[in-house]
Amino acid sequence: MKQLIQSFKTGELGLFDVPAPVCEKNGALVQTTVSLVSAGTEKMLVDFAKKSMLAKAKDRPDLVKQVIDKMKKEGVRNTLEKVFTKLDTPIPLGYSIAGKVIQVGENLSGINIGDRVACGGAGYANHAEINYIPKNLMVKIPDEVDDIDASFVTVGAIALQGVRQTAPLLGEKVAVIGLGLIGQLTVQLLKANGCKVIGSDIDPDKMKLAKKLGCDEVCTANELISKSNEFTGGHGVDAVIITASTSSNQPIIDAADISRMRGRVVLVGMVGMDVPRNTYYKKELEIKLSMAYGPGRYDPEYEEKGVDYPYDLVRFTEQRNFESFLGLIQEGKVTPKELITHSYDFDDAMMAYDLLEGRIQEKYLGIVLNYKREIDLQDEKIVQRTDKKILNDKVNIGLIGAGNFTKSVILPNIQKVQDMELVGLCTATGVSAQGTGKKYDFKYITTDSEEIYKNSELNSIFVTTRHDSHAKNVIKAINSKKHVFVEKPLCIYEEELESIKESYAGETIIQVGFNRRFSPMIEKMKSNITGEISVNYRVNAGIIPKDVWIQDRTIGGGRIIGEVCHFIDTCSYLINSEVKSVFATSINKEDQSIPDEDNVNIVLKYENGSTATISYYAYGDTSMPKEYIEVFSSGISMQMNDFRELLIYKNGKLAKEKSSNQDKGFVGEFKAFKDAVKNGNEAISFESICNTTKTTFKILESLRSNSLVEV
């Protein structure tokens, strides 16, 4: 299938062949019939992507500071590699479509194959022939509404949410500053609500259109104060909705000047926000920001998982705003089609962006793209990129999952290892597959993991998906007789671990992404150890908000299973034994029965008599180095500071080793995997992997029971 994609780094924009997205359980696949080009938002994205690196940096000083801080911790080279990888991430364009349902997820009810639906959401309702849409971001289209009008659903919801934030009363006089696409719809919505409306813009054609669509009075920005006085008899407007898009602070100044005492000002568009306090103070004005399509926006529980808000507590969510907007079209109170100035076939979509960027010298407002190609979903799941020959004497990789960590760390480091060939790539979305597949020269890209498992060219599978899918993919790889590298953790439930053990017969290599044991500094520490030892491992982990997926027990497993496994493996490697028992304790907060898994002290006892303590803290200051290890062995003491400094105290002398860049062992672990595949010797024993994984489960058990637990 084809999708419109832009490179964030270079600004390159085009229609690309990508595999169709996966249909997740909480949504549906929708074949697009019409998509709306949001002239304001998309022009802003396109313009920003085309800026130079310096101009991008000037626009986002907050991100520049983050980069500088990361350089101090990880080194310049490592940081720049990650930054440029992030910039290489392609951007899907579009967020408002109409289409036909062609596949339904198992948890979706009320929507059937063949239904016409209107869909919204950046990253979901893209300019693409097929999109995956979560259930709360789509609504059925009434029979009386055609697909062209319905394709305005997202910008309609944005306008509607702005009106809802304004809470206009019947007969009130409201000003709309900015008569672009959202401004025009806002005027119509206010008129449908029984308000008197004055609209302002710098474009005479937009003023003329607003007047045609029911605006009671229109004027230029320079006339706004005088015309508003006339319009309100000198009282000032009851409310102002700012739908303009400009860096200028003038709209927010004008809004105060034309408002009555105790009026309301609502910001929908992106404008300067240096609020003139004196004017707002003296009139006691209320100022509000309107959040996009409505309640639910930016909430992954609502948008991704489909968890709705109670109807009686949140009357109008994103989805219910979509429904309301389509209902107003159905009643003839809003007429989106009258805002259309240009219509293109999807194959000619680049002409729409020539228009936005000024290469076509015509005025524009509403721009729609029409999709006419008949599509067979089964034919759209795989895209062959190259015909490169695959040699059997290499580690030929099929990669499943290409998130930020995979793109910024795993793939760049695989490329540094000889005899590892990137062949097949499977991701959940076509955008990710296309961008990553092109950059790393994969032979083919797909969104169907079966195309990876059944491919006889591949001898190895790399699994770098979210944690809840690790176990099933490892078992699939075992059953497919392929070697598997799975990013940590191996699994997130003890029953999954038992299933992996039952499936594994030792015929293939299983390696988990415990990279730290392959770090040169850890290996140096290991080479100096004799006999039983004690290890102190302190981790200044930093806060991960509770709504991030890794904190979700059912998806990420939580931080102990998802991250502390790293440090257990490192201790086990240094000690050269398996964990025998564990005791863990943490701070108890408001609810004394719930331990704080983000701030934990763990004591591990090993089979060979050695001990290790892992102190894992989230709430420290992030300027402190993240990882610090002390090792005490027979006549030797060692300190390793964040993989950049190693101190070895031996025979009354101190040896120092420093590095300008962190080396956490990523290249080393991939070399070890390659060697294991070629010679059949495990880089990390399966027994050790299972012991580390089981230990994470026992840490949680110890926290809950406040007791020593045998592993």
Side-chain angles (χ1 to χ4, degrees), residues 27-96:
L29 291 187
V30 175
Q31 182 177 338
T32 310
T33 53
V34 184
S35 64
L36 175 71
V37 177
S38 177
T41 301
E42 294 191 46
K43 185 177 188 309
M44 180 183 66
L45 285 172
V46 169
D47 288 347
F48 183 76
K50 287 183 177 292
K51 287 183 177 181
S52 67
M53 294 293 290
L54 181 60
K56 286 187 176 86
K58 286 181 178 179
D59 279 356
R60 294 300 305 271
D62 55 326
L63 296 182
V64 173
K65 183 180 183 301
Q66 290 179 27
V67 170
I68 292 171
D69 290 343
K70 202 169 187 69
M71 283 179 176
K72 292 176 182 176
K73 287 185 177 182
E74 299 183 12
V76 174
R77 187 182 69 237
N78 288 357
T79 301
L80 289 179
E81 280 183 358
K82 291 178 181 178
V83 168
F84 285 119
T85 297
K86 186 76 173 176
L87 286 171
D88 269 345
T89 302
I91 305 169
L93 295 175
Y95 63 29
S96 193

Side-chain angles (χ1 to χ4, degrees), residues 216-251:
D216 298 283
E217 183 63 82
V218 292
C219 62
T220 65
N222 292 334
E223 301 171 320
L224 184 58
I225 295 175
S226 61
K227 288 288 187 181
S228 294
N229 277 329
E230 292 175 18
F231 187 64
T232 63
H235 295 292
V237 295
D238 298 291
V240 181
I241 303 178
I242 301 175
T243 54
S245 180
T246 174
S247 59
S248 169
N249 203 52
Q250 196 60 45

Side-chain angles (χ1 to χ4, degrees), residues 383-390 421 423 441-444 457:
V383 174
Q384 192 79 15
R385 290 194 60 259
T386 71
D387 294 319
K388 68 181 180 182
K389 188 175 181 181
I390 304 304
E421 188 73 48
V423 182
D441 195 30
F442 281 89
K443 182 176 180 180
Y444 69 94
E457 290 181 313

Side-chain angles (χ1 to χ4, degrees), residues 121-124 137 291-300 302-303 309 318:
Y124 291 111
L137 293 177
M291 189 175 68
Y293 334 144
R297 185 72 182 109
Y298 309 115
D299 180 355
Y302 179 88
E303 292 193 329
Y309 298 151
E318 285 181 84

Side-chain angles (χ1 to χ4, degrees), residues 231-463:
F231 187 64
T232 63
H235 295 292
V237 295
D238 298 291
V240 181
I241 303 178
I242 301 175
T243 54
S245 180
T246 174
S247 59
S248 169
N249 203 52
Q250 196 60 45
I252 208 164
I253 296 172
D254 292 342
D257 288 338
I258 66 175
S259 292
R260 66 167 171 84
M261 286 288 294
R262 298 177 187 85
R264 293 102 68 200
V265 177
V266 174
L267 280 81
V268 177
M270 293 183 65
V271 297
M273 284 196 61
D274 184 7
V275 178
R277 184 185 184 281
N278 199 41
T279 312
Y280 277 76
Y281 168 76
K282 286 183 176 179
K283 288 188 175 181
E284 204 173 23
L285 298 177
E286 179 184 355
I287 185 167
K288 280 186 176 182
L289 275 74
S290 179
M291 189 175 68
Y293 334 144
R297 185 72 182 109
Y298 309 115
D299 180 355
E301 291 289 318
Y302 179 88
E303 292 193 329
E304 294 177 16
K305 296 183 182 178
V307 179
D308 201 0
Y309 298 151
Y311 189 88
D312 57 329
L313 298 179
V314 187
R315 177 62 184 87
F316 290 105
T317 59
E318 285 181 84
Q319 188 181 56
R320 295 195 270 271
N321 274 341
F322 289 172
E323 289 173 341
S324 297
F325 182 71
L326 293 183
L328 290 166
I329 297 173
Q330 185 181 16
E331 294 172 23
K333 293 180 179 178
V334 180
T335 53
K337 213 179 271 103
E338 294 192 56
L339 305 178
I340 296 172
T341 57
H342 294 79
S343 179
Y344 299 100
D345 288 345
F346 185 53
D347 287 342
D348 299 322
M350 296 308 299
M351 293 178 67
Y353 291 86
D354 288 340
L355 191 65
L356 293 186
E357 296 181 66
R359 287 189 289 274
I360 296 177
Q361 294 295 316
E362 295 175 8
K363 284 190 174 183
Y364 58 84
L365 187 59
I367 306 168
V368 293
L369 304 176
N370 299 290
Y371 299 67
K372 298 178 179 178
R373 187 170 74 93
E374 289 298 319
I375 289 178
D376 183 339
L377 181 59
Q378 293 304 315
D379 295 337
E380 306 296 333
K381 291 185 176 181
I382 185 168
V383 174
Q384 192 79 15
R385 290 194 60 259
T386 71
D387 294 319
K388 68 181 180 182
K389 188 175 181 181
I390 304 304
L391 303 176
N392 292 330
D393 62 344
K394 293 189 175 185
V395 176
N396 296 318
I397 297 169
L399 173 64
I400 301 175
N404 288 334
F405 181 76
T406 302
K407 289 184 286 191
S408 63
V409 176
I410 291 179
L411 285 168
N413 284 298
I414 285 177
Q415 284 195 316
K416 296 173 184 177
V417 180
Q418 288 185 340
D419 293 335
M420 297 187 84
E421 188 73 48
L422 298 171
V423 182
L425 171 64
C426 176
T427 67
T429 67
V431 174
S432 177
Q434 195 279 332
T436 306
K438 179 180 178 182
K439 180 174 181 180
Y440 293 99
D441 195 30
F442 281 89
K443 182 176 180 180
Y444 69 94
I445 56 177
T446 182
T447 51
D448 184 356
S449 63
E450 290 303 317
E451 297 292 342
I452 299 292
Y453 290 113
K454 72 183 184 183
N455 188 340
S456 60
E457 290 181 313
L458 304 173
N459 54 36
S460 301
I461 307 290
F462 271 53
V463 178

